[in-house]
C-alpha cells in the first residue's frame, strides 16, 4: 500500500467510513469513554474529517445530543450521522439520524431504528442500513423493531423504500454499497453474499466456513475481507462459492506492516496508520 496523505490527530478516533467516491470520513472527539446506553445522552462536540485527494476539510458539530457511530455523505455534500443504538420508551422514540451541512448546521433529524451495523448512501441518496441481531429481533424498548428485515433502504428523509424481508436475516454482518446497481450484503445464518441491482437480486455467493466477515471488497483475484480487528483474509471465488485462501498483511512500500483501522468500500481500501493514511495501489 502507498501512503495517501500525512495525517495525525490529538483527538480520539471513534469511527470512519469510505464514501461511494472514495472520500474518507473520520469521526473524532476528545471523550475518553463512550456509553452508548446512557440516557439522556450528554451533548458533545464532534469533529468530522473529510479527506479527499490531498485535501482535508474539518467540520465541527457542536452540542450534538447523540453519539454518532456511522457517517456518510449525500450527493450535495451534506453529512449524515447515525447513532447505532436508538431508544424507544413508550411513545417516545429517539431520532438517531441527523443531517448537517458543511457549516455544522442541522438540516433534518429522523429515526432509523436500533441495532444498526452499517450505513451507506448511494448516488441516488438512498440510505442503506444493515442491522445486527438486537436491531432485528428487538431490544432497547423495541417490540416491533424497524430493522426486523435486516437490511432496509430509506429515502433521504428516512422513509422506507425497500426491505430484505425475504432473506430471513438474523445478523447482517457486512455491507458494501458501490452504487445503486451494486449493493452487496453478507448475512447470517445462511452465509450468503448477495448482490442487488435496483433492489433486486442479481448474484448470490455462498461463503464456506464460519467466516463472520465485517467488511469486504472485490479485487481482480477474488475477495478481500476483514474477519476481525486483527485479521484480513483473501478469499477465492469459484462457481459462486467463496472460500478462504490465506491471511494477508497490509504493508507499506518498505514491507513494514501497517497497523490501524481498516476501511473498505467499492474498490477502495484504506488503513489509518500511526504516521498517515494508506491506500491500496
Amino acid at each position: 500500500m502507498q501512503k495517501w496523505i500525512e495525517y495525525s490527530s490529538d483527538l480520539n478516533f471513534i469511527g470512519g467510513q469510505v464514501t461511494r467516491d472514495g472520500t474518507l470520513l473520520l469521526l473524532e472527539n476528545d471523550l475518553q469513554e463512550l456509553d452508548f446506553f446512557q440516557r439522556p445522552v450528554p451533548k458533545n462536540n464532534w469533529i468530522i474529517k473529510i479527506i479527499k485527494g490531498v485535501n482535508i476539510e474539518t467540520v465541527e458539530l457542536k452540542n450534538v445530543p447523540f453519539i454518532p457511530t456511522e457517517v456518510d455523505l449525500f450527493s450535495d455534500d451534506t453529512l449524515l450521522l447515525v447513532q447505532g443504538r436508538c431508544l424507544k420508551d413508550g411513545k417516545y422514540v429517539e431520532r438517531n439520524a441527523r443531517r448537517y451541512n458543511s457549516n455544522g448546521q442541522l438540516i433534518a433529524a429522523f429515526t432509523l431504528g436500533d441495532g444498526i451495523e452499517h450505513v451507506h448512501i448511494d448516488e441516488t441518496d438512498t440510505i442503506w442500513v444493515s442491522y445486527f441481531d438486537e436491531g432485528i429481533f428487538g431490544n432497547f424498548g423495541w417490540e416491533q423493531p424497524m430493522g426486523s428485515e435486516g437490511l432496509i433502504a430509506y429515502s433521504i428523509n428516512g422513509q422506507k423504500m425497500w426491505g430484505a424481508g425475504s432473506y430471513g436475516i438474523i445478523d447482517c454482518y457486512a455491507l458494501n454499497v458501490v452504487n445503486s446497481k451494486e449493493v452487496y450484503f453478507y448475512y447470517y445464518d445462511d452465509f450468503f453474499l448477495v448482490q442487488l441491482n435496483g433492489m433486486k437480486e442479481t448474484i448470490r455467493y455462498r461463503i464456506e466456513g464460519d467466516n463472520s466477515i465485517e467488511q469486504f471488497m472485490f479485487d481482480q483475484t477474488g475477495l478481500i475481507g476483514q474477519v476481525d480487528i486483527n485479521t484480513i483474509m483473501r478469499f477465492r471465488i469459484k462457481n459462486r462459492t467463496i472460500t478462504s485462501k490465506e491471511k494477508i498483511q497490509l504493508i507499506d512500500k518498505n514491507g513494514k506492516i501497517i497497523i490501524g483501522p481498516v476501511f473498505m468500500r467499492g474498490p477502495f481500501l484504506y488503513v489509518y496508520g500511526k504516521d498517515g493514511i494508506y491506500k491500496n495501489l
Side-chain angles (χ1 to χ4, degrees):
M1 302 187 71
Q2 64 180 5
K3 184 178 285 189
W4 181 39
I5 195 166
E6 297 282 347
Y7 183 77
S8 62
S9 176
D10 295 329
L11 296 172
N12 295 317
F13 167 77
I14 305 301
Q17 170 82 289
V18 185
T19 70
R20 61 195 173 279
D21 69 353
T23 300
L24 181 63
L25 308 175
L26 301 178
L27 273 168
E28 300 177 339
N29 74 8
D30 58 1
L31 297 176
Q32 297 299 318
E33 294 184 4
L34 298 173
D35 184 349
F36 296 100
F37 293 98
Q38 181 181 356
R39 295 298 183 275
V41 180
K43 293 183 179 180
N44 288 294
N45 298 339
W46 290 83
I47 298 296
I48 315 298
K49 296 291 186 178
I50 304 174
I51 306 174
K52 186 172 185 177
V54 296
N55 299 314
I56 301 177
E57 179 185 351
T58 300
V59 177
E60 183 177 5
L61 306 178
K62 296 184 177 181
N63 298 315
V64 178
F66 74 173
I67 300 173
T69 56
E70 309 296 324
V71 59
D72 206 340
L73 284 171
F74 290 108
S75 59
D76 63 358
D77 289 331
T78 55
L79 284 158
L80 176 68
L81 271 70
V82 177
Q83 176 178 262
R85 303 313 306 242
C86 179
L87 174 66
K88 185 177 188 299
D89 186 4
K91 294 183 178 180
Y92 169 76
V93 180
E94 283 183 316
R95 293 187 293 176
N96 65 322
R98 294 168 71 89
R99 183 181 174 198
Y100 292 89
N101 65 20
S102 58
N103 295 321
Q105 297 171 316
L106 180 66
I107 297 173
F110 48 91
T111 301
L112 293 177
D114 185 46
I116 291 173
E117 187 78 55
H118 301 286
V119 176
H120 287 186
I121 300 172
D122 70 23
E123 82 284 359
T124 69
D125 287 329
T126 298
I127 307 166
W128 294 86
V129 182
S130 66
Y131 299 83
F132 55 85
D133 53 357
E134 292 182 32
I136 293 171
F137 297 104
N139 196 3
F140 217 26
W142 290 85
E143 294 182 359
Q144 295 180 314
M146 289 180 63
S148 60
E149 295 178 277
L151 175 68
I152 297 177
Y154 298 92
S155 72
I156 192 171
N157 297 314
Q159 299 298 313
K160 181 181 174 183
M161 301 168 62
W162 177 88
S166 62
Y167 289 90
I169 298 171
I170 292 176
D171 195 322
C172 193
Y173 285 151
L175 178 68
N176 190 334
V177 177
V178 182
N179 53 57
S180 60
K181 295 178 173 58
E182 280 190 84
V183 174
Y184 299 94
F185 65 98
Y186 173 51
Y187 70 97
Y188 174 78
D189 67 345
D190 287 332
F191 297 109
F192 285 131
L193 192 158
V194 176
Q195 178 187 341
L196 303 175
N197 180 339
M199 301 180 185
K200 295 181 180 179
E201 181 178 322
T202 52
I203 302 175
R204 178 184 298 206
Y205 301 95
R206 164 79 69 179
I207 295 187
E208 296 290 343
D210 184 15
N211 292 300
S212 56
I213 299 171
E214 298 174 359
Q215 55 179 335
F216 62 88
M217 61 178 289
F218 291 91
D219 67 3
Q220 295 178 346
T221 62
L223 183 136
I224 296 172
Q226 182 174 20
V227 299
D228 60 46
I229 193 170
N230 297 312
T231 309
I232 307 292
M233 297 285 297
R234 181 174 294 282
F235 294 82
R236 179 188 298 108
I237 301 175
K238 185 177 182 181
N239 299 326
R240 297 196 177 178
T241 298
I242 298 175
T243 54
S244 59
K245 183 179 179 182
E246 60 191 355
K247 291 184 180 180
I248 60 175
Q249 297 282 4
L250 303 178
I251 59 174
D252 64 16
K253 64 180 182 180
N254 298 316
K256 184 179 179 180
I257 296 173
I258 309 167
I259 298 174
V262 176
F263 312 92
M264 300 180 192
R265 183 167 173 185
F268 306 105
L269 188 157
Y270 299 100
V271 186
Y272 180 3
K274 292 181 179 180
D275 59 348
I277 309 290
Y278 289 79
K279 184 178 181 181
N280 57 323
L281 298 172

